[in-house]
Amino acid sequence: MNVPALSPEDITALAAMVDADRFSTGGSVLDLHARDQSHHHARKPDVVIWPTAASEVMAIVAYANDHRLPVTGWGSGSSLEGNPIPVRGGIILDFSRMNRILSIQEENFQADVEPGVIYQDLNARLRHTGLFFPPDPGARATIGGMIANNAGGTTTVRYGSTKDYVLKLTVVLANGELVDMGCRVKKSSSAYDLVRLFAGSEGTLGIVVKATIRLVGLPAEFSATIANFPSVETASRAVFELIRAGLDPAALELLDAECIQLINQEKDLGLNVSPTLFMEFQGPTLNQLSETMEMARDICEDAGCSEFRTGLGRAERNRLFEARHELGEMVVRNHPDGRIRVMDMAVPIATYPEMIADARRELTASGLSGYIFSHAGDGNIHINVVGEKDNSAQWTQVDQLTDKLVQKALDLDGTATGEHGVGIGKRQFMETEHGGSLAWMKRIKTLFDPNGILNPGKIFPSS
Ligand SMILES: Cc1cc2nc3c(=O)[nH]c(=O)nc-3n(C[C@H](O)[C@H](O)[C@H](O)COP(=O)(O)OP(=O)(O)OC[C@H]3O[C@@H](n4cnc5c(N)ncnc54)[C@H](O)[C@@H]3O)c2cc1C
């Protein structure tokens, strides 16, 4: 039984700040905001509030600061490391109703959005303009949640992650003050880059109430390819060579045979069941693309590829990438009695083959069931390991495997998280990963949030 963080007086005071239908202490609402899509334990907030204006956020956060109440931002709750779980209860600010696309400035390749805009909805609105917002975590994530987690996805290898697309932010600080940061220019050498400090801070430094994001032109032509390999090791060698050759794929995904089997079973795609690379290349003309494809074929064949299939049409390409995006959910669906731990780490590309080989070896040695899939082009590896829900001994084994593989990534000069963020699950690695700079991060946190009200219990190892 959790002790409420809010008193009845707090509930009354906060309820007066918004319309009645945007404030709830109802059990089912609290339950829905008690966990994200991760394996981490649920914790209910005391209240959920749906702000629709920056002024409301300012008033709520200022009250919370005066009364030392935890405040946690909530986008779609699709995080995979417990990032929005209100581990100390308190207030959830759910941004799903603060979701207006404020303006689209085609001539400047920019859009101003509220934090609750779902990125797929923005891209649907942009379709007729020939522009798009590239970061694509797959889940129906909000732009506020993507900024907070610095989300990436299949296109990060070419386009970069969310941080690379944020030009300006309007943020409510812990004392309720509203601050604008950044500028509309693509490059700037002007003073400290607060936008990049706040992006990736998981709502621990301030609450984003508006963002100006950068858009890019939709590519004129694309070509999608599937390459099969006898082992994940040979496939990962091809990944390294493709990147080294400077082929600049727009997506370069590695899926092990278990993933392919699952996709075939659910989507009836008839793919060869073996470790597979899904690739996409983009360019101005088909001629240029066909040269790139020939080079990719040579590289894959040299690495031991057993089949290389090009010329996939748009429909087939979309089916493949849809299946790739749904893999996480497929794993959950196929293990109804299991609990899934989603691992996420990244290594420099030169060490990617070693990391993949080690992951495969450790997974097999553990006897646990798991699926390896990877945004391979940027050295980012995911393993979804399945444990029985109530088998605590097995769950300890899953934790040990995670620790071992994250440590391996760090030993290879990699990172404990390529895109899912630190949340709850990666806190214990922060000391090892960041060494002395972690103390400076703590000072930054204390400077912006001296009372520790913003998304407490995240990023920093628990003391
Ligand atoms: C099937 C599936 C596939 C996924 N694939 C990927 C992937 O390929 N790449 C990837 O990067 N992620 C992936 N994710 C994880 C997740 O979708 C991303 O981390 C996403 O950015 C979370 O967005 P959200 O809107 O759900 O945010 P939430 O989960 O609700 O919140 C994320 C964080 O943002 C904070 N926050 C929310 N709104 C604000 C705000 N306005 N101001 C300040 N802080 C705020 C929260 O407190 C929390 O710390 C996947 C998830 C699922 C379920």
Side-chain angles (χ1 to χ4, degrees), residues 232-247:
V232 286
E233 289 81 358
T234 47
S236 64
R237 173 55 51 191
V239 168
F240 171 68
E241 296 296 345
L242 287 160
I243 297 294
R244 187 160 75 149
L247 291 195

Side-chain angles (χ1 to χ4, degrees), residues 224 226 269 271 309-321:
I226 302 174
L269 288 179
L271 301 168
R309 196 150 69 84
T310 58
L312 274 47
R314 192 169 290 275
E316 194 174 359
R317 174 241 175 246
N318 289 349
R319 272 203 303 279
L320 273 181
F321 279 88

Side-chain angles (χ1 to χ4, degrees), residues 36-37 72-80 82-85 93 95 115-116 118 136-154 201-204 206-209 324-326 328-329 375 380 382 419-420 455 458:
D36 57 4
Q37 296 289 318
T72 303
W74 188 276
S76 295
S78 71
S79 286
L80 294 169
N83 322 51
I85 296 178
L93 291 178
F95 285 96
I118 302 280
D136 65 331
R140 277 188 65 74
T142 62
I143 291 179
M146 289 172 68
I147 292 171
N149 282 356
N150 186 25
T154 54
S201 66
E202 300 184 24
T204 62
I207 299 289
V208 174
V209 290
R324 163 63 190 87
H325 277 314
E326 285 174 32
E329 288 149 37
H375 302 308
N380 189 187
H382 296 318
E419 57 182 20
H420 296 166
N455 203 2
K458 307 298 165 57

Side-chain angles (χ1 to χ4, degrees), residues 380-399:
N380 189 187
I381 294 152
H382 296 318
I383 309 174
N384 286 16
V385 184
V386 185
E388 289 164 28
K389 257 183 198 144
D390 300 318
N391 185 338
S392 62
Q394 195 184 50
W395 210 245
T396 304
Q397 223 192 333
V398 173
D399 287 342

Side-chain angles (χ1 to χ4, degrees), residues 4 15 56 69 73 90 127-129 134 176 196 209 214 241 254 271 357 369 397:
E56 290 177 349
L69 310 176
R127 203 165 287 142
H128 74 279
T129 65
R196 279 174 168 258
V209 290
R214 209 159 62 76
E241 296 296 345
L254 187 154
L271 301 168
S369 160
Q397 223 192 333

